[in-house]
Amino acid sequence: MLMPRDTKQRMTEAAALSLRQRGLAATSFTDVLAASGAARGAIYHHFPGGKNDLAEQAVAWTGRRVRAEFESIGGDDPDAVLRSFIELISPVVAKAAGGTSCAVAAVTVEASPEQPALNAAADTAFRSWIDVLEARLCQVGAAPSQASATAQLMVTFLEGSLVLARAAGTVAVFEQSASALLRALAEQP
């Protein structure tokens, strides 16, 4: 028998997947319930704020999950960290080419100004990714100002790559851009 926390977690993960595949507007409680195996009564028990609450929790969960992945990035110098980052995100970009993108980006694009909690959750996720990448770059000798700018560029590169790969149905732009990004950053003093 599953504990209630397990039900909430299953629903959160199902919502994150739905956001990645369908976006915010097309994510429905019906789909989340079907994918998670949760009973209809679980909706407002676990997410009293409704769909926005569910989406906020899915974004927060995605943010933590991606941050944990970024914490595992290896490398002994900034160039190696960037190469490890590109290697890590490559399969994610390939999935985007097949139609599955980023839950955080989906909420960012679709949330309205009247949904400040969703925008805040997305901002928190993105900032946490930038923070962990910046810290990693500083650990391997990058100057703090360079580490900050590079970490922002890395997250921008990830999200832009996901959008372009999904639109084109191919990773070709990602591969070309990754090579150009590595060259450009290697040429920095």
Side-chain angles (χ1 to χ4, degrees):
M1 184 166 169
L2 294 172
M3 301 299 291
R5 184 175 90 50
D6 295 330
T7 299
K8 182 177 182 178
Q9 186 61 37
R10 286 194 327 271
M11 291 176 72
T12 299
E13 291 177 25
L17 180 59
S18 182
L19 290 168
R20 291 177 63 208
Q21 293 173 333
R22 296 180 190 93
L24 180 60
T27 291
S28 71
F29 275 129
T30 301
D31 294 335
V32 169
L33 291 173
S36 67
R40 182 156 290 282
I43 294 171
Y44 291 102
H45 173 74
H46 292 296
F47 306 99
K51 183 176 175 179
N52 283 351
D53 190 5
L54 176 62
E56 185 180 341
Q57 294 299 315
V59 166
W61 175 79
T62 301
R64 291 187 303 272
R65 187 169 163 232
V66 171
R67 181 184 169 98
E69 290 290 324
F70 287 175
E71 287 172 343
S72 73
I73 291 174
D76 296 330
D77 58 54
D79 186 59
V81 169
L82 182 57
R83 288 182 186 284
S84 293
F85 172 79
I86 289 171
E87 184 177 312
L88 177 70
I89 69 170
S90 183
V92 178
V93 176
K95 286 182 182 178
T100 301
S101 197
C102 175
V104 179
V107 167
T108 301
V109 170
E110 293 185 52
S112 73
E114 291 79 34
Q115 297 169 300
L118 291 179
N119 289 313
D123 184 53
T124 297
F126 288 136
R127 286 182 186 278
S128 77
W129 302 350
I130 291 167
D131 289 347
V132 77
L133 292 169
E134 180 180 351
R136 183 69 186 107
L137 289 164
C138 285
Q139 287 174 346
V140 296
S145 62
Q146 183 181 5
S148 177
T150 302
Q152 291 174 45
L153 180 60
M154 291 165 75
V155 172
T156 301
F157 174 68
L158 166 61
E159 293 302 324
S161 293
L162 294 173
V163 169
L164 293 174
R166 186 167 180 167
T170 178
V171 296
V173 172
F174 166 73
E175 291 169 349
Q176 293 167 354
S177 298
S179 295
L181 181 61
L182 288 167
R183 282 192 310 275
L185 291 178
E187 292 171 5
Q188 284 188 340

